[in-house]
Amino acid sequence: MPKKLVKKLLSFIPGKPAVTAKKRYTLKVIPRDQHCISRKDISEPAKKVLNRLNNAGYDAYLVGGGVRDLLLGQHPKDFDIATNATPEEVNQLFRNSRLIGRRFRIVHVLFGREVIEVTTFRGGQVEQEETDTERAVNEHGHLVRDNVYGSKEEDALRRDFTVNALYYCIRDFTVHDYADGVRDLEARQLRLIGDPETRYREDPVRMLRAIRFAAKLDFAIAEESAAPIPELAGLLEHIPPARLFEEILKLFGAGYGEKTYVQMQHYGLFGALFPTTQAALDQGEEDDIIRQALRNTDERIHQGKSVTPYFLFAALLWPALKREWQRLEDNGEATYPALQLAAHRVIDRQVRSIAIPRRFSVPMKEIWEMQPRLTRRQGKRAEMLVEHPRFRAAYDFLLVREAAGEHTEGLGEWWTQYQQQNDGERRKMTSQVANDGQRRRRRRRKPRVDQ
Ligand code: ATP
Ligand code: MG
């Protein structure tokens, strides 16, 4: 039976609410003296874009995270602008701009390192427009193209959360609230606009966005917006892996990674993105290394330090790697070939969900491969290892493993000391390792091949 017909029939069943019933919102215009956004909080480039569009006769507003974060007294990460000018018109108005995107056609206006994202008001109802070539929904109900332009009101109601549908007008300094976003902002709630299930089906990434904003803003997810997530989490499997990679960087790179991870587990979203890690966790591996790495990452971000995605991915996939590595060793493979094969398999499976670029997967694999090498320190080995370009990351990873409770017989401490010593002391340390090794070998009757 066609989906639409099922929906229509369902809406006639007594006691069952009409699936397509629309909530009515009324626009509220909040004057300057009733909100805290001041022009000086908005970046010069964003103001330039707003003013030039307005002066050219178009309507342009600050929207999204920029308005939301300013109303919360926080520093926005970036400024997004919505306008009734088409992408081509915006592109013509700014020499320093470029048209990007297919699913959403948008314009990036570039000012040095700052990028102002300008989108044209979107409109129309997805169901009415399914045949339109500018808007298309695939077999899973996902929007794969969404370039139907509309009014500012339609644009507002097509946004994801009520707190993201607030518009700031630089002409009269008012804030336009279409979906009771200010009320939700005050109640510190994230609420999807419209029917949550439909909105998640249109774009399952909204489930991840819900978790990300809830963690970052310390908001609760409104009950009706949270309820469908566990059941729909699997829809993320249909999202292009390249988009998910970008989303993962935002999820874990905003300084609230550990909190985000806990919530992703709570809603069953983690397993949809990291199926092999989740399988390993379900079989008894611990996730302490993931949490420890995210905790360190959060700390670094709050201290203004840089973070490397390959380090984080090394931790996110470590439980899966460990399990596969162990399985291969149990089947008689030697340590190094087993590790290499396990790494290959884990990465191969993972990139089907999340496209980890090679510039990250190669160093991630190197970090893993260095782990057993860090235990072999005799002769010239330690000296050579410290010179290895990936030594620092591998050593940091070892410390994270230890902090997460893995037993390494004080290996991390040994390397910490080794790095602080002069050449003579270093030689003493390595010969000590050799002696200890000999003593241990004598004690064991059967000699072990590796580590
Ligand atoms: P931040 O930039 O701080 O991560 P943001 O809310 O600005 O948060 P962006 O990804 O920059 O998020 O998107 C800008 C705005 O575009 C959002 O506030 C929202 O209104 C709208 N938007 C973005 N992605 C979606 C989506 N998947 N579905 C519906 N609306 C979206
Ligand atoms: Mg933004």
Side-chain angles (χ1 to χ4, degrees), residues 105-142:
R105 219 160 38 217
I106 59 181
V107 184
H108 277 175
V109 190
L110 314 168
F111 296 85
R113 286 176 59 190
E114 186 166 346
V115 179
I116 305 294
E117 200 164 284
V118 185
T119 51
T120 303
F121 296 148
R122 293 207 172 77
Q125 291 300 322
V126 186
E127 281 163 306
Q128 292 162 9
E129 306 272 357
E130 269 174 21
T131 51
D132 196 305
T133 52
E134 283 302 302
R135 163 164 297 151
V137 180
N138 70 7
E139 72 272 23
H140 306 292
H142 300 182

Side-chain angles (χ1 to χ4, degrees), residues 74 215-217 251-260 294-307:
Q74 297 182 2
K216 172 183 153 176
L217 305 170
L251 274 163
F252 293 140
Y256 307 90
E258 192 189 6
K259 208 162 140 192
T260 303
L294 286 168
R295 211 172 296 145
N296 290 7
T297 304
D298 291 347
E299 232 168 76
R300 286 185 67 89
I301 291 169
H302 288 291
Q303 290 165 357
K305 294 183 186 165
S306 67
V307 294

Side-chain angles (χ1 to χ4, degrees), residues 67 243 269 308 327 353 414:
V67 185
R243 185 171 176 216
L269 290 164
T308 40
R327 209 178 59 79
S353 320
W414 190 92

Side-chain angles (χ1 to χ4, degrees), residues 67 162 226 233 244:
V67 185
T162 62
L244 285 184

Side-chain angles (χ1 to χ4, degrees), residues 63-69 75-81 103-104 117 119 122 143 146 155-167 192-193 199 202-207 209 212-213 216-217 243 247 250 254:
V63 70
V67 185
R68 179 196 68 216
D69 294 353
H75 283 294
K77 181 168 67 59
D78 48 39
F79 289 98
D80 306 296
I81 287 172
R103 186 167 158 274
F104 298 120
E117 200 164 284
T119 51
R122 293 207 172 77
L143 273 171
D146 190 14
D155 183 76
L157 300 181
R158 293 209 46 74
R159 289 179 181 271
D160 46 7
F161 301 98
T162 62
V163 294
N164 284 349
L166 296 161
Y167 295 67
L192 267 178
I193 298 172
R199 302 305 311 278
E202 269 175 22
D203 183 7
V205 170
R206 288 172 186 151
M207 295 186 272
R209 290 173 60 85
R212 173 156 71 89
F213 292 133
K216 172 183 153 176
L217 305 170
R243 185 171 176 216
E247 209 54 44
K250 288 190 206 165

